[in-house]
Amino acid sequence: MNTSQTIISVVLFVALLLAFVAFFRTPRDERYAIYKPSNTENDPEFAPEYTKKERFWLIAKSLLWFVPILSFCQLWFFDWLGEYAKVAHCYEYGPVKGTHIIIYGLFVGLPFTLAIMLFGFEGVKAIKVIKIGQFPLPGQKVFKPTKYKYGNVARVNGAIVIGALVFLLGLAAWGVGQAKEISRDIKPCLINQLTSGSNALRFTPPDAHCVRAV
């Protein structure tokens, strides 16, 4: 499995993990229910819902950044990364080799970045939920009829997000040791690796250089 496939697998695993968490955060009697318009707009026991117009714009705004990023990764980045990974050990950036960037980026940078993203989207809300003991938060809009929960039952929702954050940060911390162990034995670079069937040279930053094996 090459580097790009590994990254895709990790991202898919995290996505499935979040989907699993979301599934079990949904009340049991609503997990397989088909959405129907509700009449709970003025019911104080239910959180306010997004209007159809608000839902449309939320989805549109999400697609505005998601589609370009996905296209960039699929059309260029993953191919570039796969080619670069083949000869990353031939490039040095000061005291750091290209292989170090690949390994530490995969084992440390990826889970840490996902943790930052999760905290940015859900972390602050999760802390507030745990603090005040209410879910959804006062005034927070939802996509489907959602009855307010209070006390420890509500705090479970915030704790799940915090637990996912701790898991990702722990994964990044564990990755430091793994990356250090893996990067101890970086194979030497052979000059012909840069000229035989690889396009890595055209992706090489100007300050990178090849280290010839002794």
Side-chain angles (χ1 to χ4, degrees):
M1 182 180 291
N2 59 37
T3 304
S4 60
Q5 290 175 328
T6 303
I7 292 176
I8 293 173
S9 299
V10 172
V11 172
L12 288 176
F13 171 77
V14 173
L16 288 173
L17 176 64
L18 294 177
F20 180 81
V21 169
F23 177 79
F24 281 95
R25 285 179 61 181
T26 303
R28 183 173 298 179
D29 57 344
E30 297 179 9
R31 289 174 184 170
Y32 303 100
I34 299 175
Y35 173 76
K36 296 180 180 179
S38 65
N39 297 317
T40 60
E41 183 176 350
N42 298 317
D43 191 333
E45 293 187 1
F46 286 81
E49 295 182 51
Y50 287 109
T51 63
K52 289 183 178 180
K53 184 177 181 180
E54 288 173 330
R55 295 179 192 192
F56 171 80
W57 284 112
L58 279 172
I59 295 173
K61 289 177 181 178
S62 298
L63 291 176
L64 281 176
W65 63 264
F66 178 75
V67 172
I69 292 176
L70 180 63
S71 300
F72 169 77
C73 291
Q74 291 291 341
L75 298 177
W76 184 79
F77 180 72
F78 288 140
D79 289 337
W80 171 84
L81 186 62
E83 291 291 333
Y84 180 78
K86 295 176 184 177
V87 290
H89 57 288
C90 290
Y91 299 99
E92 290 185 352
Y93 309 90
V96 179
K97 287 182 178 289
T99 305
H100 290 106
I101 296 175
I102 296 292
I103 294 175
Y104 278 89
L106 178 62
F107 283 91
V108 183
L110 182 58
F112 186 72
T113 300
L114 291 173
I116 292 175
M117 292 175 62
L118 180 59
F119 181 80
F121 285 112
E122 296 291 336
V124 175
K125 288 189 288 186
I127 293 173
K128 289 181 179 178
V129 167
I130 294 173
K131 184 177 180 180
I132 70 174
Q134 177 180 326
F135 180 83
L137 291 169
Q140 178 184 345
K141 291 189 175 183
V142 295
F143 281 92
K144 62 180 182 179
T146 304
K147 195 172 184 178
Y148 282 117
K149 298 177 183 178
Y150 300 95
N152 291 333
V153 175
R155 291 187 176 96
V156 169
N157 293 273
I160 290 174
V161 175
I162 299 301
L165 278 169
V166 171
F167 170 77
L168 289 171
L169 291 174
L171 191 62
W174 171 82
V176 172
Q178 297 301 309
K180 184 177 181 180
E181 185 68 26
I182 294 173
S183 61
R184 282 180 178 176
D185 300 318
I186 297 178
K187 59 184 178 180
C189 173
L190 302 176
I191 293 296
N192 60 4
Q193 286 184 288
L194 296 177
T195 57
S196 58
S198 174
N199 294 323
L201 268 180
R202 63 191 179 96
F203 303 120
T204 305
D207 59 340
H209 61 278
C210 177
V211 180
R212 187 169 185 174
V214 178

